[in-house]
Amino acid sequence: MNAERDLSPLTPGVVRALTDKLYEKRKVAALEIEKLVREFVAQNNTSQIKHVIQILSQEFALSQHPHSRKGGLIGLAACSIALGKDSGLYLKELIEPVLTCFNDADSRLRYYACEALYNIVKVARGSVLPHFNVLFDGLSKLAADPDPNVKSGSELLDRLLKDIVTESNQFDLVGFIPLLRERIYSNNQYARQFIISWILVLESVPDINLLDYLPEILDGLFQILGDNSKEIRKMCEVALGEFLKEIKKNPSSVKFAEMANILVIHCQAADDLIQLTAMCWMREFIQLAGRVMLPYSSGILTAVLPCLSYDDRKKNIKEVANVCNQSLMKLVIPEDDEMDEAKPSMTIPAEPTSEESLSRPEAVTTGESQNELNVTLNQPLFFPRSCERIQVTLNLDGIVQVLDYHLSDTSIGMMTRIAVLKWLYHLYIKTPRKMFRHTDSLFPILLRTLSDESDEVILKDLELLAEIASSPAGQTEEGHGPSDGSDVRPGPVELHVPARAGQLSSSSTKGLECSPSTPTMNSYFYKFMINLLKRFSSERKLLETRGAFIIRQLCLLLNAENIFHSMADILLREEDLKFASTMVHTLNTILLTSSELFQLRNQLKDLKTPESRNLFCCLYRSWCHNPVTTVSLCFLTQNYKHAYDLIQKFGDLEVTVDFLTEVDKLVQLIECPIFTYLRLQLLDVKNNPYLIKALYGLLMLLPQSSAFQLLSHRLQCVPNPELMQTTDNTKPSTSFKRTAACNIDYTELLQHFEKVQNKHLEARHQRAGRAEQLDRRVVL
């Protein structure tokens, strides 16, 4: 009886029926409750209405007895129906106990709770929106319910709630976003499907601007895009596609900076769909936001560069990544080199262009706080919308670090290495002053890249090294450039090579940092030549396979005279005489045969200018490391008398198989187009006696070989051989006149040749002695 009195105004019969196990009896009791509540509504008796709802909630819906809970749920639904439009005044009391039953262990009870809430929401309509978050939270749990009936009921309630949100203009998006951001990271497929369906609905409502809050949910969307279910992936693709369309329509309202790091992360995803989608977004961001994306360049490059080496299986990703890379590169402008790094930013007019900037000056992001993401990237900058100038900082240190890493990684693909070198070249062109601060750290890896397997990589590397070696920005670096007073060019009529402290083979090259013969180059040119020769010395295979290719390309990119002059200077002090001889032979072959050096050969052929005579003297000094190349240089420069004098000295040299092989090659070379002028001069026996003598000297050096036969046949074609004899009263030849005019001290040159060859002889004997000692040790 006490219980019955406590549950008034509900009659004992209604109470018994509500707790009955039969649904029909509970339904009858609910109709009685509906009738009772209608009477209270007519009387405007709010206290009794609240009391009935409280009883149904506390004594029934939240009861420990399952049938009582079922009765409470149907009773609360009946109250809501009876209240009609006034149900909005009691929604909190009506909804909370029903939502509690969503967690019930009994699936039938969860279904009844879903049914009850459907009736409550259907009556209240728009009045439920203030309680949307708790409803959404409950529905997101039911969406993943294992019972199909419960899931079906929740889908009906979900559709109803979506209709209410769509037709209303009072939806609290700001209050909903935190819950959406939390739920979007669910791993359950049904919960994910539920979340995506709601995002699509909210996107479709004109009065709801979900784009403003995209940074809050973008990461979660990309996570869902990797779901195992094709249906969910497709839904997520559609949602992301709609967002991207909206971004393209209204770039001025997009918070690009707040989403940049999120895209960087997902552009590195293992899942192809996530990576491709994120890369497409990145492409649009760079093209729409322009220089706003510059502070994130290092992160973008970290994500984009590896994709450039993808094979055809990931062709789509590779193509989009390439567009991203090209677009980002265009954002770096010469003004970035003028920035004062002591200041936090630089102001650039935000006028729209085809390559950079937003579609409007106001298209700068707001200064709201960004998501903390665990990525090693530049700190983003914030841009007030009212500002019509974009303030960005090009973090060159971060970019160079990323480029250096990718160039150093031996496992990285060829196209990525080429892209890295293109980036470095672009930065040296656009921001040379800042880039030269990184040159010392980049130089070793750029030199190592010359050993790359790909010719295309080596070409790009050489272009970059040539730019470093010739850029005016490198002229004053480190205070020992050519402008420090050491660039005095030697006199045109004397052989003068300034002494250097230190040798090429030694670790100390401080004294070789700048060549006096290359005043037009910066301080890095001579460093480059020194280190290039060091690399050839330590990697003989590189010299054999790529040496000629590298030097020929450098002659196209830089001044060929400077290259040969500086290398001759360096080789003059080379301690490894065997390498010096090999290197001189390589350089000589390039000089005599490469089409790229046509002008230089013409310059040396006549020795008309002081510069050409100075170059000849410089080359001669180093060419002395190899006797046959020295003779070929004399042939090239038409110094036939000196060539004859040199050949006379060959009798004092140690004639080896290698020596005879080189003489053989020289004979073959004389028959090439390069020496056409020399062969024609054989017609003028009177004025070129020493040419014929020199050729006969080579003939006498050769054994009876094919080269001997070739040269012998050539000399047999010389007309009037009796004119080859010279007498004291013979008229001086033009060759004598020219050499006299040159005022070159050939006696000194000949003495230098003998001195260098003596060193080579001594070195060979030392090597032979060491080899003999080693053989004795092996025998013992």
Side-chain angles (χ1 to χ4, degrees), residues 74 350 535 627 637 665:
I74 198 171
R535 192 138 196 94
T637 56
K665 289 179 180 177

Side-chain angles (χ1 to χ4, degrees), residues 279 282-283 286 300-301 304-305 308 318-331 403 415-416 418-420 422-423 426:
M279 200 67 74
M282 184 66 79
R283 176 189 62 197
I286 295 171
I300 295 170
L301 288 173
V304 166
L305 287 173
L308 301 178
K318 179 181 179 179
E319 288 174 353
V320 180
N322 188 52
V323 176
C324 289
N325 183 55
Q326 296 296 328
S327 301
L328 186 65
M329 192 181 293
K330 291 176 183 177
L331 298 182
L403 296 174
M415 297 309 296
T416 297
I418 291 172
V420 168
K422 284 182 177 178
W423 255 102
H426 183 73

Side-chain angles (χ1 to χ4, degrees), residues 82-310:
L83 287 168
K85 293 182 179 179
D86 292 336
S87 65
L89 301 172
Y90 309 97
L91 276 176
K92 187 174 186 292
E93 292 80 3
L94 289 168
I95 289 173
E96 285 183 354
V98 178
L99 288 174
T100 302
C101 291
F102 277 9
N103 298 318
D104 200 281
D106 185 354
S107 62
R108 290 296 300 166
L109 205 140
R110 293 198 303 275
Y111 174 78
Y112 288 133
C114 194
E115 185 181 50
L117 188 58
Y118 179 87
N119 288 319
I120 293 170
V121 172
K122 186 176 182 181
V123 171
R125 301 296 292 182
S127 299
V128 302
L129 289 179
H131 307 277
F132 179 80
N133 278 13
V134 291
L135 293 174
F136 183 88
D137 184 46
L139 272 176
S140 67
K141 295 173 182 175
L142 288 187
D145 199 285
D147 187 271
N149 291 324
V150 176
K151 195 179 296 180
S152 176
S154 72
E155 287 172 0
L156 286 173
L157 175 58
D158 181 47
R159 281 198 291 271
L160 174 62
L161 202 55
K162 284 172 180 172
D163 290 341
I164 293 170
V165 170
T166 303
E167 66 190 23
S168 173
N169 59 359
Q170 297 178 348
F171 182 71
D172 182 14
L173 184 62
V174 177
F176 172 59
I177 288 298
L179 179 62
L180 179 61
R181 185 178 61 229
E182 177 191 343
R183 287 285 181 266
I184 204 168
Y185 287 105
S186 171
N187 290 322
N188 183 278
Q189 286 190 352
Y190 298 106
R192 284 180 163 183
Q193 194 169 14
F194 172 77
I195 292 290
I196 292 294
S197 68
W198 266 101
I199 289 174
L200 285 168
V201 167
L202 294 175
E203 270 190 291
S204 66
V205 179
D207 295 332
I208 297 176
N209 186 12
L210 195 57
L211 192 61
D212 279 348
Y213 302 94
L214 184 56
E216 305 283 333
I217 61 172
L218 185 62
D219 180 57
L221 282 172
F222 274 107
Q223 301 249 8
I224 293 176
L225 191 60
D227 195 272
N228 293 327
S229 167
K230 289 183 179 180
E231 183 182 355
I232 294 173
R233 288 164 76 98
K234 187 63 180 175
M235 285 178 66
C236 193
E237 258 192 290
V238 171
L240 285 167
E242 290 300 318
F243 275 123
L244 196 55
K245 286 180 185 176
E246 191 67 25
I247 287 170
K248 291 178 182 179
K249 288 180 185 176
N250 305 294
S252 59
S253 61
V254 179
K255 301 172 183 177
F256 291 105
E258 295 185 31
M259 292 183 279
N261 285 343
I262 297 171
L263 294 182
V264 165
I265 292 171
H266 293 291
C267 280
Q268 302 173 71
D271 185 281
D272 287 354
L273 180 59
I274 295 176
Q275 190 177 28
L276 177 59
T277 307
M279 200 67 74
C280 289
W281 275 61
M282 184 66 79
R283 176 189 62 197
E284 299 300 331
F285 271 39
I286 295 171
Q287 292 176 351
L288 293 170
R291 288 177 60 81
V292 170
M293 299 298 287
L294 268 186
Y296 307 91
S297 297
S298 60
I300 295 170
L301 288 173
T302 300
V304 166
L305 287 173
C307 301
L308 301 178
S309 293
Y310 283 173

